[in-house]
């Protein structure tokens, strides 16, 4: 089985790498890879090199001494934290990834004449690739120029994660045995939890003795008392496996670190042995875990819609644009769940609150009206500038249904316009709502501006919002027609450095095209400004915005018409399916 | 001719899926498109339906070129794929209504009601595709295809996923549509079905047509006389599987 397992791992990795290298023969992937590598270089390696240059001229940071002092209690503190986290995660109902078998493995390996232990070992081996990849990426972020520090952190993390992964698989197996018909098996299943609770009790008692007797006088005192408590025999015993796993993170390079690996590896070995020897509930736990994982993945990829009554029946005659508007509206209505709302609105709320707080702090004015005005303005800006990127209920999403769309007797330009209509109207509505709030509160939000300026600015923003939104939607949908392979389908995201590079290029292209689309309107508005500002004042920005809107709408019409032939030529084979 | 295919060629990179395909299907004809896996049947049907653009050659539906005049060509077409592609957020009834709007179907309520009854979808109008079995989803696709009076019907493995009653009804429906004057091109691996309902057969192998004619014509063809009169034997012979 070991050879078969290695065969699966090596062949899968080799084929994946080969497939990604082979696709670099296509220019879109090659350019994507170049952009992705450049991004990595400038984000990580150039920063590291820059940091090395800066550090070489400086003395040792004084805070390092304080850190070293605190680090004396580090292994014990980290071990305690590890124990608490382990206890919490052992109680929380969660699925161990080690027990989640992909469909192909279930189909091939479960009916194969291999033992449960061999299957477990196979999963343990397979999980190493993921851990190693994560560690390599994480090590790049370690704020140090010394290679050995990265190596130390990487090795320590590998032992910690490998042990954790195997331990939680053991907990998963133990949980599945809790429902066993055999009494001894059920009692044995409680053993790991009982051990953990006993260890927690010992640690808590030792800490209570150290801290509850007299009040803490400072950080130094707290650290000393914690170190003393950690040195007592009961707590040392309780923390033993956890400290063993944490110590390599703190041990100096090279020999103390090498020595610290021995107990850590011993813990890994004991945990592995424990899991392998208690594999009775394996099939049950693995099938449950795989089913849960598959359901969760399916829900993420395509949330199960519910047939909510929309109150909007499609008329049997009308424009093509209306068909797509109706279809996309129903999709949004039926696909929007509480989870989806949280997914979109929590980051939005955090971003808006953070930006507003930053601006208000810099102004030194934190009145409620002013705060609300700032939030409304940022919300409007966010909706207008990032909304079209986030709300993908248009051709980007419908690339999935392209085979069906291609059989319909419709003008391609009308299809593209129809696809953009619903997200455009929704985003415009949201932006207008935010702008309305901002306008009402603008006296507090912009106290230095005159009424004429505030209302002219607000009116222009109202007019410009749909122009900006529809211009961006046009660019995004044009990209879907012209470069369908670069558009992620549904909730899936293509993986690989080339796919990341493609996204960077696409984002840059969208920005550039947006600027080009808005430029004629800006020039026309500027001309109006210079010609009439001295006569009519700030009101002149309103006709400027109206002209910009008109120009953009003409551009949108022209762009969708000219995209028609490209849509007809669009090859469904070029649409990138998730890996 | 309802369907005219002239020197159709479709490549994917360096691979030629369909090469130099020429055939016609007249009104009232049911032509079976058969061939081993990878012969190019689905690529042919998808090229005819306007999903794949031919690399070269022409496809005409009632004289309208699928590339030059796609809207008029597609208006006359109904394509029923083997894998039902539906909008996961639209109910059965909304799919039918959408089809009616796209193809300007008059008398929608009566037609939809009849089809829903006929395909045993009645009572499931308000369900989403995710709530239906694969066979039921296939029936929705078929209902959308039959809702309008298409002059050309393309079926790719139409019986996949259907239960015995559904298969029987589907067979009857195909024959009835042909009798009403529709041109039907049907791809299937079920040779007994092809033999039973098709008036002619086109056999493909490695992207090319290797035989085209009625069963009588094929059975009396000089090189196939020894193969026997049964379609399976003819198929094995022309595709070199004997």
């Amino acid at each position: 089985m070991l050879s078969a397992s290695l065969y699966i791992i090596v062949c899968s990795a080799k084929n994946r790498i080969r497939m990604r290298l082979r696709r670099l023969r296509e220019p879109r992937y090659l350019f994507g890879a170049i952009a992705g590598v450049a991004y990595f270089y400038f984000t990580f390696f150039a920063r590291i090199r820059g940091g090395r240059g800066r550090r070489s001229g400086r003395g040792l940071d004084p805070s390092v001494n304080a850190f070293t002092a605190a680090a004396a209690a580090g292994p014990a503190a980290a071990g305690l934290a590890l124990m608490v986290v382990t206890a919490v995660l052992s109680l929380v109902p969660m699925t161990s990834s080690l027990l989640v078998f992909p469909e192909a493995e279930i189909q091939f390996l479960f009916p194969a004449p291999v033992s449960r232990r061999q299957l477990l070992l196979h999963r343990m081996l397979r999980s190493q690739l993921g851990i190693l990849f994560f560690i390599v990426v994480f090590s790049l972020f370690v704020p140090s120029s010394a290679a050995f520090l990265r190596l130390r952190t990487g090795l320590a993390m590998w032992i910690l994660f490998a042990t954790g992964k195997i331990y939680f698989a053991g907990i998963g197996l133990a949980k599945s045995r809790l429902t066993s018909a055999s009494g001894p098996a059920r009692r044995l299943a409680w053993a790991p939890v009982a051990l953990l609770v006993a260890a927690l009790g010992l640690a808590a008692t030792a800490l209570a003795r150290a801290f509850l007797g007299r009040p803490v006088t400072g950080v130094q005192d707290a650290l000393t008392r914690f170190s003393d408590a950690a040195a007592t025999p009961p707590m040392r015993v309780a923390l033993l496996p956890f400290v063993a796993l944490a110590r390599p993170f703190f041990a100096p390079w090279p020999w103390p670190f090498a020595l610290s690996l021995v107990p850590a590896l011993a813990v890994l070995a004991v945990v592995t042995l424990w899991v392998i020897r208690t594999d009775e509930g394996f099939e049950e736990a693995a099938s449950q875990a795989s089913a849960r994982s598959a359901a969760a993945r399916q829900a993420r990829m395509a949330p199960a819609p519910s047939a909510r009554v929309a109150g909007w029946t499609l008329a049997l005659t009308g424009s093509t644009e209306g068909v797509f508007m109706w279809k996309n509206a129903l999709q949004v209505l039926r696909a929007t769940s509480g989870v989806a709302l949280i997914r979109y609105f929590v980051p939005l709320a955090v971003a808006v609150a953070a930006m507003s707080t930053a601006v208000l702090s810099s102004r030194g004015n934190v009145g409620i009206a002013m705060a609300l005005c700032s939030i409304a303005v940022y919300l409007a800006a966010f909706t207008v500038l990032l909304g079209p990127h986030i709300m993908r209920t248009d051709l980007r999403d419908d690339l999935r249904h392209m085979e069906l769309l291609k059989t319909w007797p419709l003008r391609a330009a009308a299809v593209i316009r129809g696809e953009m209509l619903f997200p455009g109207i929704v985003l415009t509505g949201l932006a207008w709502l935010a702008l309305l709030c901002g306008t009402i509160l603008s006296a507090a939000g912009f106290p230095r501006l005159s009424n004429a300026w505030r209302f002219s600015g607000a009116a222009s923003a109202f007019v410009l919002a749909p122009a900006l939104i529809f211009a961006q939607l046009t660019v995004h949908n044009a990209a879907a027609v012209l470069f369908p392979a670069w558009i992620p389908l549904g909730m899936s995201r293509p993986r690989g450095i080339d796919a990341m590079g493609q996204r960077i290029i696409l984002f840059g292209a969208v920005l550039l095209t947006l600027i080009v689309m808005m430029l004629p309107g800006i020039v026309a508005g500027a001309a109006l400004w210079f010609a009439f500002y001295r006569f009519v004042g700030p009101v002149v920005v309103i006709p400027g915005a109206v002209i910009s809107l008109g120009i953009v709408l003409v551009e949108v019409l022209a762009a969708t018409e000219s995209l028609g032939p490209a849509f007809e030529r669009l090859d469904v084979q070029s649409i990138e399916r998730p890996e | 001719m309802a369907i005219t295919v002239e020197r159709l060629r479709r490549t994917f990179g360096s691979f030629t899926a369909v090469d130099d395909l020429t055939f016609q299907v007249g009104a009232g004809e049911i032509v079976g498109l058969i061939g081993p896996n990878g012969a190019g049947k689905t690529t042919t049907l998808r090229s005819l339906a306007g999903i794949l653009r031919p690399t070269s050659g022409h496809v005409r539906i009632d004289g309208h070129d699928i590339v030059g005049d796609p809207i008029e060509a597609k208006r006359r077409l109904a394509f029923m794929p083997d894998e039902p592609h539906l909008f996961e957020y639209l109910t059965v009834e909304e799919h039918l209504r959408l089809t009616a709007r796209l193809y300007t179907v008059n008398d929608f309520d009566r037609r939809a009601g009849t089809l829903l009854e006929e395909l045993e979808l009645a009572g499931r109008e308000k369900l989403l595709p995710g709530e239906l079995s694969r066979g039921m989803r296939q029936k929705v696709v078929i209902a959308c295809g039959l809702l309008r009076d298409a002059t050309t019907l393309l079926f790719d493995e139409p019986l996949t996923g259907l239960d015995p009653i559904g298969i029987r009804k589907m067979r009857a429906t195909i024959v009835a549509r042909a009798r009403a004057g529709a041109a039907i091109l049907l791809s299937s691996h079920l040779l007994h079905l092809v033999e039973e309902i098709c008036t002619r057969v086109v056999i493909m192998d490695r992207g090319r047509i290797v035989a085209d004619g009625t069963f009588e014509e094929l059975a009396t063809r000089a090189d196939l006389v020894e193969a026997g009169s049964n379609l399976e034997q003819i198929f094995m012979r022309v595709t070199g599987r004997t």
Side-chain angles (χ1 to χ4, degrees), chain A residues 127-315:
Chain A
S127 67
Q128 299 311 307
L129 274 183
I131 295 176
L132 281 174
F133 179 76
F134 172 75
I135 287 168
V136 168
V137 172
F138 185 86
S139 299
L140 290 171
F141 286 93
V142 172
S144 169
S145 55
F148 74 87
L149 275 177
R150 291 176 199 284
L151 184 62
R152 185 184 75 172
T153 311
L155 279 170
M157 279 178 75
W158 172 70
I159 296 174
L160 178 67
F161 285 146
T163 311
K165 226 172 183 45
I166 296 169
Y167 173 80
F168 286 112
I171 290 290
L173 290 172
K175 281 178 183 168
S176 72
R177 284 198 306 278
L178 288 176
T179 53
S180 165
S182 146
R186 276 202 308 275
R187 279 192 291 280
L188 202 66
W190 282 105
V193 180
L195 269 175
L196 202 55
V197 170
L200 274 171
L202 284 173
T205 311
L207 286 173
R209 278 191 191 140
F211 283 90
L212 294 182
R214 54 200 159 85
V216 178
T217 55
V219 177
Q220 188 65 42
D221 179 40
L223 283 172
T224 311
R225 284 199 221 178
F226 177 78
S227 297
D228 290 345
T232 58
M235 192 154 165
R236 278 183 68 180
V237 171
L239 288 180
L240 192 68
F242 303 101
V243 172
L245 289 171
R247 197 174 296 283
F249 286 96
F250 301 91
W253 184 267
W255 297 114
F257 171 74
L259 280 177
S260 73
L261 289 181
V262 177
L265 286 169
V267 173
L268 172 61
V270 169
V271 170
T272 308
L273 270 177
W274 165 60
V275 173
I276 286 175
R277 291 183 73 86
T278 56
D279 60 349
E280 296 89 15
F282 172 73
E283 287 92 343
E284 182 70 14
S287 60
Q288 281 176 5
S290 300
R292 272 200 302 271
S293 171
R297 195 167 50 244
Q298 179 63 29
R300 272 200 308 277
M301 296 295 287
S306 57
R308 292 182 196 130
V309 178
W312 183 4
T313 306
L314 180 70

Side-chain angles (χ1 to χ4, degrees), chain A residues 305 307 314-315 318-319 323 331 334-335 400-401 403 406-411 568-569 571 573, chain B residues 10 12 46 51-53 71 74-75 85-90 94 97-98 101-103 108 126 128:
Chain A
L314 180 70
S319 66
V323 173
Q331 175 175 343
R334 289 175 177 162
R400 289 182 298 142
H401 302 115
E403 299 205 359
K406 293 278 272 182
T407 63
W408 289 352
L410 303 173
R411 282 194 65 236
E568 294 288 359
R569 280 196 304 274
D571 192 340
Q573 302 292 324
Chain B
R10 171 69 206 202
F12 298 103
R46 282 151 62 96
I51 297 170
L52 293 175
R53 202 178 172 86
I71 294 176
K74 288 173 185 176
R75 220 187 280 284
H85 292 292
L86 295 167
F87 291 100
E88 56 268 47
Y89 302 104
L90 298 186
E94 286 164 350
R97 187 167 275 277
L98 175 67
R101 164 91 171 240
L102 292 170
Y103 291 89
F108 166 74
K126 304 290 177 197
L128 293 170

Side-chain angles (χ1 to χ4, degrees), chain A residues 490-548:
Chain A
M491 299 300 286
S492 70
R493 292 291 175 273
R495 288 179 289 180
I497 200 165
D498 45 357
M500 191 185 77
Q502 286 175 357
R503 286 197 284 276
I504 294 169
I505 293 174
L506 200 59
F507 189 69
V510 168
L511 277 182
L512 190 68
T513 320
L514 178 66
I515 291 167
V516 171
M517 282 185 84
M518 295 303 293
L519 206 57
I522 292 169
V523 170
L528 269 182
W529 172 275
F530 285 115
F532 296 106
Y533 177 68
R534 68 189 116 167
F535 304 116
V536 294
V539 180
V540 74
V541 295
I542 299 173
V546 172
I547 289 172
S548 292

Side-chain angles (χ1 to χ4, degrees), chain B residues 1 65 144 162:
Chain B
M1 280 293 166
D65 193 285
C144 289
L162 298 185

